[in-house]
Amino acid sequence: METIVSLPVEMDAAHRRHFLGGEPIVFHCHHYNTFLQRSIQDAHFIDSDPFLIGAAAEVAFAQLTSLIRQEQCSNEADRRELAERVYSWSGFGTLDFSGLTVTGGVMTTPNSHYAAAWNAKWGAADRPVCLFTSGWISGAMSAIHDRPLGDYHVDHPSCLAMDGTQRCAFDVTATPASYTKFEAVGAGNLTDHGAHPFPCKNVDSEGVYNAVTSMPLVGDATGSIPAFGVYLTHHYANYYNRIGFEMLHNAIDQFGDEGRDVVQPLLVEAGHVCAFNTFGGIMKSSEWDALIAPSLETPEDWVHGIVAVVNSLGWGRWQATEVSKHQATFVVQDDYESVGYRAMYGNAKFPCSYLAQGAAAGIMNLVYKGDIQSRPELTPEFYRSLFRSHDAYAATPLKSRAMGDDVTSFRVARV
């Protein structure tokens, strides 16, 4: 499989975080990407398109501006090529900027992660779904042409996710954009901490980290990263943070605590979906069988094994303690949600690491309730049997880095 050439990714092993062009990047799969977007769009009381598009423009502009300077791309052709390479390497599909000028133009593509993912998970869409790409193109155009963020408006008239459509189309004009403009926050403030000893002798945490981060998980010629039974993306932590927290703040502004009570479970559920599909796929993969499974002796070892893999995804430094079939505690240092919230909005008034909360519960449901060791099929029916039954595991926040605590932590137990 032909792969896109590498990019100058910074692997911050001490914090278990990854950066490209100053932007924190994280692995997530197509299930999480589409579930999160649909959850936000289905909240019809919120006008979400402006921040779904604006958040993508924010990270694309910040990242490409930094990379253009770092790679010393002085001419427009090199900048266009760099943008195309970043997009494909990340697993988002393919873009061709050659038909666009400083005044705009029309871009089409036969490869779109969001459109393909939407079809795979939901079937045909009734409207164009590539809002992330629309914003990304706008931010990229500003970076390529050295213009301020928001100087390019992008319409998305047709989409591969819709019946009978062969290509996604984007109409780009050099007119003020209608999306919400955000100020990029970059890496945020990471803590100066010492790593806790990994609590499981049967899992070589450092060896797993080195092995997984060395895998060639980058976009192929179609800009896809098929791995572990899903389509992965090197996505932007600050994109996820921005769209989730903007949804939450919009709901609170309109409905107070009731709005928060509606939105929080949706964001946690997105974490369940991520854990089920990505972690489940990893624990059924040939890579897992070769690298990790031979040393695992107990269900507790399986929990520690998947936590070791999580530490390779750019999500922060994870550790599971007090693990048993009854309960477990998960401790996370520098989780990307807390770091991002504080950088964007200051200290939070409540715990808001929703992806981590859902993922922690997902691990316990997969190992102890779903017996992932027996390699079950990861079907929608199996998902419902794990997460929507009366005895499912759920995670309760104990500490929140977003609120100023030293770490983020959860207690996971059966409901």
Side-chain angles (χ1 to χ4, degrees):
M1 178 174 61
E2 180 185 356
T3 57
I4 305 300
V5 293
S6 62
L7 289 163
V9 178
E10 176 191 350
M11 308 298 291
D12 182 353
H15 297 96
R16 296 300 195 248
R17 301 293 303 275
H18 309 160
F19 303 94
L20 177 61
E23 282 295 314
I25 55 175
V26 290
F27 272 118
H28 271 297
C29 78
H30 73 280
H31 293 280
Y32 181 70
N33 293 340
T34 52
F35 187 90
L36 181 61
Q37 177 172 319
R38 184 167 182 175
S39 295
I40 293 171
Q41 291 184 294
D42 283 352
H44 297 301
F45 56 89
I46 295 173
D47 183 15
S48 58
D49 281 14
F51 65 76
L52 286 168
I53 297 171
E58 168 195 353
V59 294
F61 178 72
Q63 182 186 68
L64 290 174
T65 299
S66 176
L67 285 174
I68 286 169
R69 182 173 57 249
Q70 181 179 341
E71 299 294 295
Q72 299 180 348
C73 296
S74 58
N75 64 71
E76 184 182 315
D78 288 344
R79 294 179 177 192
R80 289 199 305 261
E81 188 275 334
L82 176 64
E84 293 167 1
R85 184 155 44 103
V86 169
Y87 188 84
S88 295
W89 176 92
S90 301
F92 298 137
T94 58
L95 294 177
D96 181 358
F97 282 88
S98 64
L100 303 182
T101 69
V102 68
T103 61
V106 177
M107 175 190 290
T108 66
T109 178
N111 304 304
S112 167
H113 170 82
Y114 271 89
W118 194 280
N119 282 161
K121 193 162 183 66
W122 310 113
D126 58 6
R127 57 167 286 189
V129 304
C130 300
L131 304 183
F132 169 81
T133 301
S134 298
W136 202 94
I137 292 170
S138 177
M141 284 290 287
S142 288
I144 290 168
H145 297 291
D146 198 22
R147 294 178 63 158
L149 178 65
D151 268 18
Y152 287 92
H153 178 83
V154 178
D155 284 322
H156 179 25
S158 63
C159 182
L160 282 161
M162 303 170 70
D163 269 342
T165 305
Q166 301 302 312
R167 300 175 75 87
C168 286
F170 303 92
D171 295 337
V172 184
T173 55
T175 56
S178 58
Y179 55 71
T180 308
K181 288 191 290 184
F182 300 106
E183 183 177 349
V185 298
N189 292 322
L190 303 179
T191 60
D192 183 12
H193 66 260
H196 296 301
F198 201 74
C200 179
K201 62 179 177 59
N202 289 334
V203 176
D204 177 7
S205 177
E206 289 299 318
V208 171
Y209 175 82
N210 291 332
V212 175
T213 55
S214 298
M215 294 176 65
L217 299 175
V218 300
D220 60 19
T222 66
S224 295
I225 310 175
F228 310 122
V230 299
Y231 288 93
L232 293 175
T233 52
H234 290 279
H235 222 311
Y236 300 86
N238 287 333
Y239 175 77
Y240 292 129
N241 290 334
R242 187 71 77 180
I243 65 175
F245 297 144
E246 285 295 305
M247 178 194 190
L248 179 66
H249 290 168
N250 269 267
I252 292 172
D253 289 344
Q254 292 187 60
F255 306 109
D257 289 344
E258 290 183 0
R260 174 182 153 195
D261 291 342
V262 169
V263 168
Q264 284 182 320
L266 295 175
L267 298 176
V268 173
E269 179 78 353
H272 293 161
V273 169
C274 172
F276 177 79
N277 290 286
T278 303
F279 298 169
I282 289 171
M283 288 189 282
K284 291 180 59 181
S285 69
S286 59
E287 292 86 355
W288 175 273
D289 290 343
L291 179 66
I292 301 172
S295 66
L296 306 182
E297 299 176 358
T298 66
E300 291 72 37
D301 290 348
W302 278 70
V303 172
H304 294 300
I306 193 61
V307 167
V309 176
V310 173
N311 277 308
S312 309
L313 304 180
W315 294 12
R317 184 181 289 275
W318 281 54
Q319 182 183 27
T321 63
E322 307 175 89
V323 181
S324 74
K325 67 178 181 180
H326 303 293
Q327 68 178 51
T329 300
F330 289 80
V331 179
V332 192
Q333 295 166 307
D334 296 306
D335 72 282
Y336 73 81
E337 293 168 287
S338 288
V339 173
Y341 191 99
R342 296 183 75 188
M344 292 174 178
Y345 309 105
N347 274 9
K349 297 179 180 179
F350 43 80
C352 56
S353 296
Y354 303 115
L355 175 277
Q357 183 176 344
I363 290 172
M364 295 292 284
N365 276 310
L366 280 167
V367 172
Y368 290 104
K369 196 170 189 302
D371 187 26
I372 192 66
Q373 302 91 313
S374 66
R375 307 177 71 87
E377 292 299 315
L378 300 175
T379 64
E381 295 74 22
F382 185 47
Y383 176 86
R384 289 191 289 271
S385 75
L386 293 188
F387 292 93
R388 296 179 183 170
S389 62
H390 70 279
D391 61 343
Y393 288 89
T396 301
L398 301 176
K399 288 186 174 185
S400 170
R401 180 65 185 152
M403 298 177 68
D405 293 330
D406 57 337
V407 296
T408 294
S409 63
F410 308 95
R411 177 182 178 269
V412 183
R414 290 184 186 268
V415 176

